[in-house]
Amino acid sequence: MVSMNTLDSKYQDLLQDILDNGINKTDRTGTGTISVFGRQIKHKMSQGFPLLTTKKMAWKTMVTELLWFLRGDTNIKYLVDNGCHIWDGDAYHNYLKNSSTTLDGMYLSQDEFIYHIKNDETWGKKWGDLGPIYGKQWRKWELPNYSIEHVEYGFDNDSYVDQIQNLINDLKTNPDSRRLMVSAWNVGELDRMVLPPCHYGFQVYTRKLTGEEMWDLLKKKVGEERFKSMIDDIVPFGGGLSEELESYKIPKRAISLMWNQRSVDTFLGLPFNIASYGLLLEIIAAEVNMIPDELIGNLGDVHLYKNHIEQAKEQINREPFKNLPTLKFSPIPLAHFEHHKDSFNDLINELQPHQFIIEDYESHPSIKAPLSN
């Protein structure tokens, strides 16, 4: 692991870029933003897990949302049951906009609304659903007109496409494909979504590891002394480490992920998005036995809400911690990913937020800022 944190400084540079070059724009929330267009942020996963250190991040909240996406869920009940409330406002505003149901002649407060989501199954099923947002598109993109061509292109269901399962299958069978993509931007269903996707798609890319990289992985797995004894036993006979690499299931490829985002709430949302796609990359890599390599975000309208400007200045002035944290699938050994049931979906449904542990995380305190819905 490289002992280096360059992610915070890249993020701080982006905040400063918006402050220096942003233009005033109106937005749907009425808050107002300063905005730039077309930026990119990159992170090498070998430098540590991409969780910013210049403010404390809500780790469990982020993990819960990603597992919710991967389950194909679009109802906030799973989120609120697990203490994640980032979608509460969107669901509540949808209720105020579309409901004629009142309590004693008055609409529910947001706290009352969430109470009913958690405790009233009928109410929660109706008003907790956000429409066909991320999870629906990732796991059940509907096919309006089934035909034989769908079978030919690998769509094994006559009503929907499971993009995540297809991605996993393709990575295992054709890792050099240039079609390793997942999209949430379903133009035919945008009007049914409470909020159209901000991060609307991602693509993965793999490469073969060099022999030196694989040997380093083997050394890390077996320890310095054991690795040296392997070399001593093999080299005099002109052999190689291929059998050992196979027996210890050392990965042969590295995998990178690039996501595309049309709208970027840079202070509250982007740190969350970076960590979320970093975790997604880790989960996919574990499933297909590859090493997480590079994380890249392509960013469209990159903005600061006007009620986040002072908070952004505070974060810019904080000194990043030297090291990023590490991620542990605990108590899930990585081998668990090789022994789950018939599909990736079976594995995801077993996983819980508490099983993803961040270790050695040092950070400055959190910085509060209002969320604009």
Side-chain angles (χ1 to χ4, degrees), residues 143-207:
L143 297 173
N145 297 303
Y146 176 69
S147 66
I148 190 63
E149 286 80 8
H150 293 135
V151 176
E152 293 173 355
Y153 282 99
F155 302 155
D156 59 1
N157 189 290
D158 63 0
S159 62
Y160 66 85
V161 179
D162 185 340
Q163 294 189 84
I164 297 294
Q165 185 67 59
N166 284 355
L167 175 67
I168 298 298
N169 294 344
D170 288 344
L171 282 167
K172 291 179 178 179
T173 59
N174 187 17
D176 283 326
S177 172
R178 297 188 294 268
R179 302 178 183 182
L180 303 172
M181 300 175 65
V182 171
S183 177
W185 194 260
N186 187 338
V187 295
E189 295 191 329
L190 292 179
D191 61 346
R192 294 169 49 201
M193 302 178 190
V194 167
L195 182 68
C198 293
H199 43 101
Y200 59 87
F202 67 91
Q203 180 177 357
V204 297
Y205 172 92
T206 80
R207 64 173 179 86

Side-chain angles (χ1 to χ4, degrees), residues 50-61:
L51 202 63
L52 293 181
T53 70
T54 44
K55 68 178 178 184
K56 187 174 183 180
M57 299 288 297
W59 171 246
K60 183 187 174 186
T61 296

